[in-house]
Amino acid sequence: MHPTDDCPCGSGEPFGRCCLPLHRGETQAQTAEALMRARYSGYAVGDLDYVWQTWHPRTRPAELGSDPGLIWIGLQILDTVDGQPGDQTGEVEFRARYRAGGRTGTLHERSRFAVRARRWFYVDGDLFD
């Protein structure tokens, strides 16, 4: 993905001014929603190192595998609870659309985030059917 392309997170901003600086470590997410969007973009562009690094150390897997047949095609933020600057926790409910094997699907989750060492981390989430 080129920095001038629209950011996969759906913000309407160019990738180079939206999620790419977070992926490169040039800046940190200021809210739980910003981290949610950047993590989605990480999955969408294949930057699983960023996804892994922003997963809370007590809940993250030993490693992340990629599915080359899975293409993320859209993110919709449905709800946020807390997760603002100064908060210690937050929740973001979202739907992420994907395409795999010629079929489309949706991942619907309410994710929990927490601040650790003054940075937001993804903790875990509850999936909806």
Side-chain angles (χ1 to χ4, degrees), residues 3-116:
T4 58
D5 292 342
D6 285 345
C7 192
C9 82
S11 68
E13 292 292 321
F15 181 51
R17 285 200 320 242
C18 191
C19 291
L20 183 60
L22 281 79
H23 292 185
R24 290 181 173 167
E26 297 167 1
T27 187
Q28 299 295 325
Q30 298 300 303
T31 66
E33 181 180 336
L35 181 59
M36 171 64 238
R37 289 179 176 280
R39 286 174 53 82
Y40 171 84
S41 291
Y43 279 110
V45 302
D47 189 349
L48 296 184
D49 285 341
Y50 177 78
V51 173
W52 189 83
Q53 291 170 6
T54 57
W55 206 313
H56 198 286
R58 81 176 148 81
T59 59
R60 72 178 161 214
E63 59 184 50
L64 289 177
S66 66
D67 180 349
L70 185 69
I71 300 168
W72 294 99
I73 56 175
L75 176 67
Q76 178 185 20
I77 302 297
L78 302 173
D79 186 37
T80 60
V81 176
D82 299 329
Q84 298 302 309
D87 290 335
Q88 293 301 303
T89 61
E91 294 183 2
V92 179
E93 184 177 344
F94 68 93
R95 283 193 187 107
R97 293 181 304 121
Y98 62 87
R99 186 172 27 251
R103 295 178 36 188
T104 59
T106 302
L107 172 71
H108 182 185
E109 178 177 314
R110 179 169 282 277
S111 298
R112 285 178 285 279
F113 296 85
V115 172
R116 179 177 190 264

